[in-house]
Amino acid sequence: MGGVVGITALMRPREALRASGQPPAAAAGTLMIGGDLSVNRLGFGAMRITGPGIWGEPPDPAEARRVLQRAVALGVNFIDTADAYGPEVSERLIAETLHPYPRGLVIATKGGLTRPSAPEWVADGRPQHLREACEASLRRLMLERIDLYQLHRIDPRTPLEESLDALQRMQEQGKIRHIGLSEVTPEQIEEARGMVPIVTIQNRYSLTDRRHDDALAYCEAQGIGFMPWYPMAGGKLMKPDHPGAKAIAAIAARYSISVAQLSIAWLLHRSPLMLPIPGTSKVGHLDENIAAAALSIGPDEWDEIENAACI
């Protein structure tokens, strides 16, 4: 592509957002999950409010609670967590901080990965484990029903039908509203949809990591929500050793925005079914992330950004 021709609209002024009565996260638009859950299309991933390595208590519990409170204040009404985060720490902090939950707040969680030790993430899709995991999440989150319960990973040792049957039974019991999957291929999604309704997919995806383009295309064709985890690829574009870092940083600097904001805005631009869930343990980073909801860039600029990111 040629040179940058100009951003068509930068940040919507905060004054305009206040005048409209909309919180900042609402600038991302909305996504309907499962036909009955409308959420702002920029959520919050609660993995980072735990300790280092997603293990144990956060180093600053008060700041973790402020992050959760601030997310809701900014209009985030979709929070994604999992029993494996901590483990159990993320779910517990959410409930301790936000319960009783504000009207319209959707808390999604996941089961099916266990943490025998800090570096270990072990799939366990056995029906008994999933039943116990879901019941424990209900207690920790202080919920009667989990709006979106996701199979954290498909367990190669357990037939998928058995895992999904356990989730469907809990759905029939009123303990789960909707079912989602994480880190799956189009073939696995198709197989699962032959057994139970699947409303969301959560796969690793970012500006610099598009390994799941085929899964996203499948979701777009079927009207299934897509949640990208690791949405900023660990800050790769902010590291000088990434080949495209200099070009991306120059575009961001020209318009006084961060590379992180540019990365989140690209995800929102990439598909109307995209629901980014960037996480952080700092209020300042959270404010920056949510501000990306109001960033709009013209098509020529997106082409240049995408090309630079894939160098």
Side-chain angles (χ1 to χ4, degrees):
M1 295 294 299
V4 175
V5 298
I7 289 183
T8 57
L10 192 57
M11 294 288 180
R12 285 177 61 187
R14 292 184 181 181
E15 293 77 10
L17 286 171
R18 284 197 291 268
S20 71
Q22 289 186 321
T30 59
L31 176 70
M32 187 69 72
I33 297 174
D36 61 358
L37 287 177
S38 179
V39 298
N40 289 332
R41 209 164 59 90
L42 185 52
F44 176 73
M47 183 172 70
R48 298 292 177 186
I49 61 170
T50 63
I54 326 303
W55 185 262
E57 300 294 329
D60 188 345
E63 179 72 355
R65 290 184 171 88
R66 284 192 290 269
V67 166
L68 290 167
Q69 293 165 342
R70 180 66 172 163
V72 172
L74 291 173
V76 170
N77 56 9
F78 182 89
I79 296 177
D80 177 77
T81 185
D83 64 353
Y85 299 162
E88 304 179 4
V89 174
S90 177
E91 290 183 332
R92 176 175 52 76
L93 282 173
I94 289 169
E96 289 176 355
T97 305
L98 299 177
H99 191 273
Y101 301 115
R103 184 179 178 85
L105 178 63
V106 173
I107 298 176
T109 193
K110 299 180 284 293
L113 275 181
T114 61
R115 303 290 302 282
S117 66
E120 293 182 279
W121 298 75
V122 181
D124 189 344
R126 293 172 301 149
Q128 180 179 350
H129 171 75
L130 291 174
R131 287 192 295 268
E132 293 172 352
C134 181
E135 293 282 3
S137 289
L138 283 165
R139 290 192 298 271
R140 278 190 296 272
L141 289 167
M142 292 190 271
L143 291 170
E144 294 182 0
R145 180 180 65 179
I146 294 169
D147 281 329
L148 176 61
Y149 194 83
Q150 303 155 90
L151 182 62
H152 209 157
R153 288 293 186 277
I154 292 177
D155 181 358
R157 300 166 301 177
T158 303
L160 180 58
E161 183 177 6
E162 293 182 12
S163 299
L164 293 178
D165 181 66
L167 298 187
Q168 187 173 44
R169 288 181 181 275
M170 288 185 286
Q171 189 177 45
E172 292 167 353
Q173 294 166 1
K175 297 175 181 179
I176 292 173
R177 187 172 187 171
H178 294 298
I179 298 171
L181 300 174
S182 179
E183 207 60 12
V184 286
T185 65
E187 294 75 21
Q188 290 171 323
I189 305 169
E190 183 74 11
E191 180 185 1
R193 293 180 69 226
M195 305 172 198
V196 298
I198 300 297
V199 303
T200 59
I201 299 301
Q202 185 172 156
N203 280 5
R204 177 168 172 161
Y205 195 81
S206 69
L207 178 58
T208 58
D209 184 352
R210 300 175 218 171
R211 70 185 74 183
H212 287 297
D213 265 334
D214 54 349
L216 175 58
Y218 180 94
C219 288
E220 290 177 319
Q222 301 300 324
I224 297 171
F226 189 95
M227 284 181 279
W229 67 269
Y230 215 44
M232 288 173 280
K236 285 182 180 178
L237 282 175
M238 290 175 272
K239 297 176 181 177
D241 59 344
H242 186 282
K246 187 174 181 179
I248 296 296
I251 296 171
R254 187 178 301 128
Y255 298 101
S256 301
I257 59 176
S258 71
V259 172
Q261 287 173 318
L262 203 59
S263 300
I264 294 169
W266 178 81
L267 288 168
L268 291 168
H269 157 79
R270 177 66 179 81
S271 171
L273 291 174
M274 192 81 76
L275 173 55
I277 47 171
T280 180
S281 60
K282 303 294 183 183
V283 169
H285 291 163
L286 174 71
D287 285 351
E288 179 181 296
N289 290 344
I290 300 303
L295 178 62
S296 178
I297 294 180
D300 290 334
E301 290 85 356
W302 285 131
D303 288 343
E304 182 168 348
I305 290 165
E306 289 179 2
N307 291 338
C310 290
I311 291 175

